[in-house]
């Protein structure tokens, strides 16, 4: 995959889609400065003096309402992203031959890089248009798409000059055809987003042409392209918001970082894969996991502790894995492959496996709705590759974009509970009362800011089953029906946040406390007091409350967590109560230079267990670029597996100093120097400009090696930047008797050696 092409295409595509969507909004009287009124006269809607079909008034009204609620710029960006996602999705499906009618919507199979063999065999002559015009135009009268009238199609084709109108009709019909299989990405027929479908899609420089021409088909063979496009699409937005306090709606852009395939496999294979191999050590699955790490040799006592918490058998349909910050779904896609291997090992049919995995095994939560769309799409594409009829099966994914609570008055809550025949009060027989509904609404007041860090209180968790029944109630009362519909996603996301999973795998957001908005800062202080300094540390803690007892918690986080005093309390608690199974210390450049990342990271697989004396397996991969790190891990180079986790707590501050030798570790068994001697600073000038010079500024014969009566300057080492071949021997210090007098006059304390 040529990431450079993706990096060049996606940011420009974002700008182009936003402009195209704004142009369409202006066409319907919606701009940032002004919203034209709508007047309905019979079957016609008048906007800004222009006539439109009557149904446009209702769709535009919904857009106007959303703009009033969220703001013009934010709605336009969301709409642009939605259409971009749809275009990318349809393009991927047409390349792989997943569209039911078999024709290409954006391209033609006459292109030299076409991989769709079935479509290559078509013999209908399309004339000159076949060289660049989408294939569906040539077969339009043969298509059966929702909302597309065949008579109208024939009329438009015969006109000869109305291809643009015909193509828009077909494209909307295609989106509607995909609604049943993927409602999270393709809205219902007649949705307001139809109004903002960009114009001039058949032009040589259109959004469609650029999508087809800028990215070769060979780069669209793997679903991984979805994640890279997502990262590069928001890259300019990331540059705009980074380095300042981040608003809720900008958190995804500020924190998103696509995780390379090999790091994802390392985490998934050593969490979910390790769990399977612990129960079935002779499973052929081990030979299929390139990044699986064989545990270090443990003592008999540790082996006995592990045996006591290892189940004797596992049911594949009951294993669960969640990514609580799933982004575009790369981790879940890799987990799909591993689950498939487990199912096939157990003798399941491949076509049955797809639905089982996406409905029973995989779960994803995200605060960005557009990213959640891509996650759902990626999983559907993995499933479609194994089951040709998957789109027809009404699959229900466990992927959600966490929502904020809707505004519902106390009066509305009273009406809801009054109309619920099973509800009488808050506490009896699992009934739902107003207090429960208030608790649910309060929990997600800042849902899109706090995301998966939200923990469902136990008293509310016990009511979720009853709340779910309430929201599924059918009623003829439109007011009640609408309120129940708005509550439904809150109950579902609460269910997912209250559940416990066999494996939690994520690349969580990295964002220091100084960039937190006031609500987020207060939330992390209240609920994650030891980990509040950075969101990634909060997610480590949250991962353990999401995982089952002895479940896995695998995450990529900043290496500073291993050493800095600001994470000392949470690190000490983790070393005391949890287990590091394996850690790949990645350092910088692990995500490839193309991603632009500069953070230094480590990928760590932890387990919710406390066997005393366990020896984790570490890999020191801080040198080299992405390829060098990956190959070192595959070849098991720079491996450290001799130190028991308990030993780290012997070092002051409990740093995860896995590279220390046994001899160095033993030294911490002795009293510290500070407990025996009065330790002081050696020498501090207090005025660098007065007393320090670069050695090249001073005559050689004026520089001595020690303090003498005649010496004027001596060598002075004060640290500095990293140097590979020689130390920081840069400065000399004025150290004559007169200098000592001058230092004393500026109240500088000099401690004799």
């Amino acid at each position: 995959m040529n990431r450079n092409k993706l990096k060049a295409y996606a940011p420009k595509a974002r700008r182009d889609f936003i402009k195209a969507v704004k142009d369409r909004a202006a066409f319907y009287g919606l701009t940032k400065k002004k919203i034209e009124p709508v007047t309905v006269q019979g079957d016609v809607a008048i906007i800004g003096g222009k006539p439109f079909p009557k149904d446009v008034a209702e769709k535009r009204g919904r857009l106007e309402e959303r703009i009033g609620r969220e703001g013009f710029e934010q709605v336009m960006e969301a709409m642009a992203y939605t259409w971009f996602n749809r275009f990318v999705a349809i393009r991927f499906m047409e390349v792989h031959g997943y569209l039911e009618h078999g024709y290409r919507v954006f391209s033609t199979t006459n292109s030299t890089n076409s991989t769709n063999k079935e479509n290559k065999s078509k013999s209908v002559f399309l004339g000159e248009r076949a060289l660049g015009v989408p294939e569906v135009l040539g077969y339009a009268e043969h298509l059966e798409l929702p909302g597309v009238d065949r008579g109208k199609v024939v009329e438009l084709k015969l006109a000869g000059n109305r291809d643009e109108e015909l193509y828009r009709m077909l494209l909307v019909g295609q989106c509607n055809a995909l609604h049943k299989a993927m409602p999270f990405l393709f809205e219902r027929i007649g949705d307001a987003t139809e109004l903002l479908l960009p114009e001039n899609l058949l032009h040589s420089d259109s959004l469609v042409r650029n999508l087809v021409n800028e990215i070769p088909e060979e780069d669209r063979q793997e679903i991984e392209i979805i994640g890279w496009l997502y990262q590069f699409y928001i890259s300019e937005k990331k540059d705009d918001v980074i380095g300042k306090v981040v608003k809720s709606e900008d958190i995804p852009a500020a924190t998103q970082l696509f995780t390379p395939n090999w790091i994802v496999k390392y985490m998934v294979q050593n969490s979910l894969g390790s769990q399977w191999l612990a129960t079935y050590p002779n499973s052929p699955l081990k030979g299929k996991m390139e990044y699986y790490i064989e545990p270090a040799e443990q003592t008999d006592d540790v082996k006995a502790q592990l045996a006591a918490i290892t189940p004797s058998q596992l049911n594949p349909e009951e294993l669960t894995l969640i990514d609580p910050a799933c982004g575009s779904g790369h981790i879940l896609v890799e987990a799909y492959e591993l689950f498939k291997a487990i199912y096939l090992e157990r003798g399941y049919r491949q076509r049955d496996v797809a639905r089982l995995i996406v409905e029973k095994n995989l779960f994803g939560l995200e605060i960005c709705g557009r990213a959640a769309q891509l996650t759902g799409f990626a999983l559907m594409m993995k499933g479609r590759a194994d089951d040709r009829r998957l789109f027809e099966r009404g699959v229900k994914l466990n992927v959600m974009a966490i929502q904020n609570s809707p505004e519902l008055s106390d009066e509305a809550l009273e009406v809801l509970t009054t109309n619920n025949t099973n509800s009488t009060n808050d506490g009896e027989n699992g009934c739902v009362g107003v207090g429960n509904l208030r608790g649910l609404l309060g929990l997600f007041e800042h849902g899109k800011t706090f995301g998966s860090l939200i923990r469902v209180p136990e008293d509310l968790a016990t009511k979720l089953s009853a709340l779910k029944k309430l929201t599924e109630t059918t009623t003829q009362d439109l007011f009640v029906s609408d309120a129940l519909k708005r509550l439904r996603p809150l109950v579902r996301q609460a269910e997912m946040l209250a559940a416990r999973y066999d494996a939690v795998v994520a690349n969580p957001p990295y964002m220091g406390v100084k960039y937190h908005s006031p609500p987020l800062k207060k939330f992390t202080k209240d609920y994650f007091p030891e980990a509040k300094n950075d969101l990634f540390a909060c997610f480590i803690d949250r991962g353990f409350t999401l995982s089952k007892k002895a479940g896995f918690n695998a995450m990529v986080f900043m290496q500073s967590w291993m050493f800095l005093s600001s994470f000392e309390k949470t690190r000490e608690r983790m070393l005391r109560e949890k287990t590091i199974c394996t850690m790949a210390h990645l350092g910088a450049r692990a995500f490839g230079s193309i991603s632009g990342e500069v953070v230094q990271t480590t990928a760590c697989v932890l387990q919710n267990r406390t066997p005393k004396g366990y020896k984790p397996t570490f890999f020191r991969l801080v040198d080299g670029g992405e390829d060098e790190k990956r190959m070192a891990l595959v070849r098991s180079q720079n491996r450290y597996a001799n130190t028991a986790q308990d030993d780290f707590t012997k070092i002051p501050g409990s740093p995860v100093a896995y590279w220390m030798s046994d001899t160095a570790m033993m030294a911490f068994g002795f009293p510290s120097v500070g407990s025996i001697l009065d330790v002081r600073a050696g020498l501090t000038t207090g005025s660098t400009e007065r007393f320090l010079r670069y050695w090249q500024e001073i005559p050689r014969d004026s520089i001595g090696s020690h303090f003498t009566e005649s010496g004027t300057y001596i060598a002075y080492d004060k640290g500095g930047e990293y140097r590979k071949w020689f130390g920081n021997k840069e400065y000399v210090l004025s150290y004559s008797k007169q200098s000592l007098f001058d230092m004393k006059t500026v109240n500088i304390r000099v401690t004799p050696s």
Side-chain angles (χ1 to χ4, degrees), residues 674-693:
S675 66
I676 300 173
L677 302 175
D678 186 10
V679 181
R680 301 286 184 88
L683 184 149
T684 304
T685 68
S687 181
T688 297
E689 295 78 10
R690 292 180 63 182
F691 301 112
L692 293 187
R693 297 290 181 271

Side-chain angles (χ1 to χ4, degrees), residues 433-665:
V434 173
N436 300 134
L437 292 177
R438 287 199 191 105
L440 181 67
L441 292 171
L443 187 65
F444 295 110
E445 180 183 359
H446 299 285
K448 298 193 78 63
T449 302
F450 306 156
S452 296
L453 294 178
I454 295 172
R455 287 181 280 200
V456 181
E458 187 174 348
D459 59 340
L460 182 59
T462 62
K463 298 292 183 181
L464 290 178
S465 178
L467 282 165
K468 183 177 182 180
K469 290 181 181 179
L470 170 62
T471 60
E472 292 174 347
T473 303
T474 57
T475 175
Q476 299 299 316
D477 188 321
L478 295 180
F479 173 80
V480 174
S481 178
D482 179 67
L484 293 175
K485 181 180 178 181
R486 296 167 71 186
L487 285 171
R488 203 168 294 145
L490 268 61
V491 175
R492 179 59 183 140
Q493 63 198 35
E495 287 180 319
M496 293 177 66
L497 289 169
R500 297 293 178 265
Y501 303 87
D502 294 288
V504 181
V505 186
N507 185 357
Y510 313 151
M511 191 164 73
V513 66
K514 67 179 180 179
Y515 304 120
H516 294 184
S517 62
L520 182 58
K521 186 176 293 187
K522 183 179 186 306
F523 176 81
T524 54
K525 180 181 179 181
D526 290 345
Y527 293 96
F528 299 92
E530 294 179 356
K532 64 185 178 184
N533 288 304
D534 201 289
L535 284 185
F536 80 81
C538 298
F539 267 88
I540 296 173
D541 274 7
R542 183 67 176 110
F544 286 117
T545 59
L546 281 169
S547 61
K548 296 178 180 177
K549 184 177 181 180
F552 287 86
N553 180 17
M555 293 192 180
V556 183
F557 45 84
M558 293 174 68
Q559 70 173 28
S560 56
W561 178 88
M562 302 164 62
F563 319 115
L564 292 190
S565 59
S566 54
F567 301 113
E568 182 176 333
K569 289 184 178 179
T570 186
R571 185 170 59 243
E572 287 179 340
R573 180 166 51 81
M574 192 280 296
L575 291 173
R576 184 174 62 251
E577 300 176 1
K578 315 299 179 184
T579 300
I580 301 175
C581 300
T582 177
M583 177 187 287
H585 186 183
L586 303 172
R589 302 177 301 279
F591 289 68
S593 58
I594 195 71
S595 70
E597 59 86 21
V598 295
V599 296
Q600 301 192 68
T601 59
T602 181
C604 189
V605 180
L606 305 132
Q607 195 169 11
N608 227 346
R609 62 183 189 187
T610 54
K612 299 298 181 183
Y614 186 86
K615 294 180 180 179
T617 303
F618 298 92
F619 292 89
R620 188 168 180 80
L621 310 175
V622 296
D623 297 323
E626 180 184 0
D627 288 339
E628 291 88 347
K629 296 174 191 291
R630 182 182 66 82
M631 290 309 301
L633 183 61
V634 170
R635 295 167 181 166
S636 200
Q637 296 173 341
N638 302 322
R639 176 182 172 123
Y640 296 79
N642 297 319
T643 304
Q645 177 177 302
D646 302 339
D647 290 341
F648 297 135
T649 60
K650 299 175 182 177
I651 307 172
S654 301
V656 185
Y658 59 86
W659 59 86
M660 291 186 64
S661 66
D662 292 342
T663 302
M665 193 66 74

